[in-house]
Amino acid sequence: MVDDAAGVEECRAAGRQVLVAAGGQREAALGRLAEVGAAHPDLRQHAADAVCAYLRTPADGPANLDADGRRVAGRVLAGLLRPDAGASTVGVDLAGATLVDADLGGCVLAGARFDDARFLGTTSFAGARFAREAIFARALFHGAARFDEAHFAADAVFGRARFRGPASFAGAAFGGLAWFGRGEEEFWEDDPAWDTIEEVRPAEWDEPNEDDPGWPVAVLMGDYQEWTEGGDGARFVGPASFRRARFAGPAWFYKARFGAEATFGGAWFSGPVHLDQPAVDLTDARWAGSADDEPICWPLGWTSELGLDDANEPTGPQGPSAPGDAAVLVPDGSVAPYARQLADPDPDVRRAGLRILGELGDARPELRQRVVDAVCGYLRAPLPFHVTGELTAAQAGEVELRRAAQRLLAARLRQGASAPGEPGGSGRPDERNEPGGPDEPGGADEPGGAVHWAGMSLSLCGATLVDLDLSGCAVDHADFTAAQFHGVTRFDGATFEGAAFRLGGPEGRASFHGEATFAGARLDRFRTPAEVLGAVVFHATHDLPTPSS
């Protein structure tokens, strides 16, 4: 059918009815859009635009949710997006939309905007094909999310997306950039998008243990010169699977947080990679990039090894340029006896892993920063329960393991810790916090005391920290952006070359939920503690002047 004015107006009229009607009348109008799209393929884009306009309407409470209507709208939209001979590919603008039990599996999308969308219930994009850029920045998935066998022909942007349930990208193919890093947009100063940026309403940040850090939606182009700058990355609370996924371009998971197992078994990487979280499993994964692909960053405990057969090489554009030129990811024997213990579900194994990491760094200075990064990655993992109040035995054990990881770092960052071959000593201004026992990572009970690790940097963006005691520690640089400090926090007598507790102004700010002391601390070479901590949130007593923004 010709895309004439009468047909377009029919779609618009049905769309207006969807917006103003309710119940059965709304569903009838949605059904009319489905009928128009099925009978007249040239009008599918107009019909889809009308459905998307309804799904973008605010759903800021049960009264405005209309879950049944949104389910019906999702089914209608899926019908418009599934391939049909002779129909043009349809794009969708669902930025800020609310979808309920959305099943867009097998759909073909021209362009796809799901930034700041809220997905309630279960969500499926299994087998979907995205012909152009797919944007899911800051999207919130409340339930299970499936992208199995999805194909992204261009960039796939999941910056600071939140997955509260299981997430599966098993067998997905990423033809461009796979971005799971920071969630901020970058605009030039004269970009007209600045005129509407204040209208963007990201989903409420109501995660356990975390105040809303006020993450920015957008920043001026040039504020972030490197991919490693900026705020938090994607947040996975449940298991995440990228098994057999294929990454033709960069696979960027910098500052992503995994709260459970993250499986990349059999995945194929062909470009720069930043994937260093201790929960990541790379069994049988391959890397087919070149020497020009930088950075390449794997978790401690994994390394690439050449000389494999090409039995599992993918075909098509995601494959390597020549057979046999891929390296396999294998356990790194050079860091034995550490062997991914921090990823083990058994808390006793993880506790042993922390102790092994401490001993590894003590003995091998060249590994110390990587050990620190691994422990920080462990501390950045989101917890699915509140760390305060009544805890089950298992939850209390998880919190105590977090304290043990913190003690491992603090014991080796204190300026009074011994150098190799010297007698030990805690070097603390006082001994208010109890040291670990003989089986603990760090603490004064270790033979000879902990070795001082000089020049270390801490990457604790978004971390949940409980009774953190860095008193008397010497640190190079530290990123505490949006970190959540629970219990008693001590920075007294600590020295930092530079410490960040916010991105800038009130954006990305940290929160102190309990008592905090900074007596005698130097948090930056050039700024006072009060300046460094301006705009952070204090919920209890502290010994600084009231911070100002």
Side-chain angles (χ1 to χ4, degrees):
M1 172 182 174
V2 176
D3 184 1
D4 57 19
V8 173
E9 181 52 38
E10 183 177 6
C11 287
R12 290 175 177 170
R16 288 192 292 270
Q17 184 69 10
V18 170
L19 291 175
V20 300
Q25 290 183 330
R26 173 173 286 160
E27 293 182 16
L30 287 166
R32 181 57 187 150
L33 288 171
E35 292 170 359
V36 171
H40 310 296
D42 289 343
L43 292 176
R44 284 190 171 194
Q45 184 64 67
H46 296 287
D49 290 344
V51 176
C52 290
Y54 162 60
L55 290 170
R56 290 196 304 269
T57 58
D60 51 3
N64 295 326
L65 177 57
D66 184 20
D68 290 339
R70 291 178 190 271
R71 286 190 187 93
V72 173
R75 289 195 292 269
V76 170
L77 185 61
L80 296 169
L81 295 175
R82 291 203 168 102
D84 188 6
S88 300
T89 306
V90 174
V92 298
D93 180 0
L94 286 165
T98 301
L99 297 92
V100 180
D101 295 323
D103 182 1
L104 299 182
C107 292
V108 179
L109 300 91
R113 286 197 58 187
F114 293 94
D115 37 319
D116 302 295
R118 297 135 174 99
F119 295 89
L120 307 181
T122 59
T123 301
S124 178
F125 285 89
R129 300 180 66 84
F130 298 85
R132 300 174 193 161
E133 187 176 45
I135 304 176
F136 289 85
R138 304 175 300 279
L140 173 57
F141 297 84
H142 285 261
R146 291 188 58 205
F147 288 83
D148 306 80
E149 306 293 336
H151 186 279
F152 300 89
D155 293 347
V157 180
F158 287 85
R160 207 161 65 237
R162 286 179 280 163
F163 298 86
R164 290 181 174 172
S168 180
F169 290 79
F174 296 89
L177 169 67
W179 183 268
F180 290 83
R182 63 175 181 251
E184 299 94 288
E185 309 280 354
E186 290 187 279
F187 299 135
W188 294 107
E189 187 174 8
D190 57 353
D191 194 314
W194 286 115
D195 296 335
T196 58
I197 201 65
E198 292 186 1
E199 299 173 9
V200 176
R201 293 291 181 267
E204 183 181 5
W205 195 277
D206 53 353
E207 307 300 335
N209 308 304
E210 300 182 21
D211 274 1
D212 186 346
W215 289 121
V217 172
V219 295
L220 186 66
M221 186 71 76
D223 282 0
Y224 296 158
Q225 302 295 324
E226 302 289 341
W227 287 4
T228 53
E229 296 180 89
D232 227 359
R235 186 182 192 275
F236 299 85
V237 176
S241 175
F242 288 82
R243 193 183 302 276
R244 304 183 314 280
R246 303 188 298 279
F247 299 90
W252 199 253
F253 290 83
Y254 186 74
K255 288 189 179 179
R257 294 197 275 163
F258 294 101
E261 182 182 29
T263 304
F264 287 75
W268 190 275
F269 301 91
S270 301
V273 181
H274 202 296
L275 184 63
D276 65 350
Q277 294 80 353
V280 169
D281 180 4
L282 291 164
T283 302
D284 292 329
R286 308 286 179 102
W287 181 67
S290 70
D292 295 330
D293 290 326
E294 291 185 352
I296 302 297
C297 187
W298 307 114
L300 182 67
W302 291 97
T303 189
S304 58
E305 183 177 276
L306 292 170
L308 299 175
D309 60 59
D310 58 357
N312 294 322
E313 290 180 1
T315 58
Q318 280 74 39
S321 58
D325 62 354
V328 70
L329 274 298
V330 297
D332 186 357
S334 72
V335 297
Y338 181 72
R340 294 191 62 243
Q341 286 92 339
L342 289 190
D344 199 284
D346 187 336
D348 289 334
V349 175
R350 278 178 278 140
R351 184 181 301 277
L354 288 170
R355 186 172 62 253
I356 289 168
L357 286 174
E359 294 169 353
L360 189 66
D362 288 343
R364 297 179 58 185
E366 75 278 8
L367 290 177
R368 287 175 183 171
Q369 186 60 63
R370 293 192 66 196
V371 168
V372 169
D373 292 343
V375 177
C376 288
Y378 179 73
L379 290 169
R380 294 188 65 248
L383 290 171
F385 59 87
H386 291 279
V387 299
T388 56
E390 293 220 11
L391 301 176
T392 66
Q395 291 170 345
E398 291 297 328
V399 172
E400 182 51 38
L401 265 177
R402 194 152 290 220
R403 291 192 182 99
Q406 296 168 181
R407 286 195 294 267
L408 182 154
L409 295 176
R412 288 161 174 83
L413 297 175
R414 285 201 169 88
Q415 299 179 80
S418 63
E422 294 181 357
S426 70
R428 291 182 170 186
D430 62 61
E431 297 293 334
R432 188 172 72 180
N433 283 7
E434 299 86 355
D439 293 327
E440 287 288 320
D445 288 347
E446 287 192 349
V451 175
H452 181 224
W453 297 2
M456 298 293 104
S457 293
L458 301 176
S459 180
L460 289 167
C461 174
T464 296
L465 305 166
V466 183
D467 296 322
L468 178 68
D469 181 3
L470 293 181
S471 58
C473 290
V475 181
D476 193 354
H477 290 85
D479 181 3
F480 294 109
T481 307
Q484 307 290 321
F485 298 88
H486 292 267
V488 176
T489 301
R490 297 188 59 185
F491 283 94
D492 46 303
T495 60
F496 293 79
E497 292 299 298
F501 290 80
R502 55 195 170 107
L503 287 179
E507 295 178 332
R509 61 184 178 269
S511 292
F512 290 83
H513 299 265
E515 178 186 347
T517 179
F518 300 89
R522 190 195 75 181
L523 302 180
D524 189 273
R525 291 182 63 189
F526 305 105
R527 297 181 297 160
T528 66
E531 291 172 319
V532 172
L533 293 163
V536 305
V537 176
F538 289 94
H539 293 283
T541 58
H542 59 87
D543 54 10
L544 285 174
T546 302
S548 58
S549 56

